[in-house]
Amino acid sequence: MRAEDDADSLDGATRQFMAARRQLFGIAYRVLGSAAEAEDVVQEAWLRWQRTDRAEIQEPTAFLATVTTRLAINVAQSARMRRESYVGPWLPEPVDTRADPQLGAERAEALDLAVLLLLEKLNPVERAAYVLREAFDYPYKRIAEILETSEANTRQLVTRARKHLAAERKAPAGPTAHRRLLEVFLAAARTGNLSELEQVLTEDVVSYTDGAGMRGASRIPVVGRLRVAKYIAAFAPRFWPPTDVRWVEANGRPAVLVSAGGKAVALLCADVSERGIERVMWVMTPAKLSPYVASLAD
């Protein structure tokens, strides 16, 4: 092959890959709950695409989606063991969805931090089946081919995932109600107002702090309205006075970026239903916060 032909082939391969890249990242991120790991998977997919005999590939996007999904499942299987030894609660890595509200998908499904957290309880294959069906609207037959299983089994995988989410999560509130309740929570948290906190929290609310062992970060989830309210109120005097807050968007939902001395110290997210705040999620680990903050400046 002439050098010019090789260059043309690589240019074409690059265009095909870039056209699919957002979707590939969206698949990997939902399966893994980590933007950093998803980027690694997408990079590996690109390397494999370069080494592939592309003349034999009739549907580049379908091929790339298959490679990415299988790579993500492999990474998720090893990540599961790492997360079992994680110090304190593990939360998904937040992403800024302003530029791409659906993060490369047909629908903005399996993108909310609370959903990603719940999907973590499923095995990686179940997660992948659910993501491909609910977020990307893949036909069951196509998903079965990607996962190398039967169409009947694929339907069972998706059904189990749906049942798990339905059992664990109430229907989310709309954007306006979500923002309003989070505003009330934030005001009450900053003043340590116990009664106002209790008014917006559900009876079985859970507060998660992803600090990876950082000093001051709770190493266990705090459960129940009164316990969470007391916990939030207790650290108000020492946590909030030196901070500034900024309203941002994370994973398609309103969120609050908390900074001290010009440095981000926490991202406050919530899972909100018509009942009130179901989950409070504090992302404090620098490895997760820093990339998110950097994306806000893009």
Side-chain angles (χ1 to χ4, degrees), residues 13 18 142:
M18 293 307 296
R142 182 75 190 96

XYZ file of all heavy atoms in Angstrom, residues 13 18 142:
24
model
N -10.502 6.375 9.155
C -10.718 5.682 10.428
C -10.900 6.681 11.565
O -11.739 6.490 12.457
C -9.544 4.751 10.724
N -14.230 9.384 15.573
C -14.662 10.622 16.213
C -16.171 10.800 16.120
O -16.791 11.371 17.011
C -13.935 11.822 15.606
C -12.433 11.848 15.891
S -12.035 11.691 17.665
C -12.780 13.203 18.297
N -29.556 -6.895 19.005
C -28.217 -6.287 18.880
C -27.473 -6.375 20.210
O -26.262 -6.654 20.233
C -28.370 -4.823 18.448
C -27.058 -4.105 18.227
C -26.400 -4.542 16.933
N -25.041 -4.029 16.846
C -23.963 -4.713 17.182
N -24.080 -5.958 17.586
N -22.767 -4.186 17.078
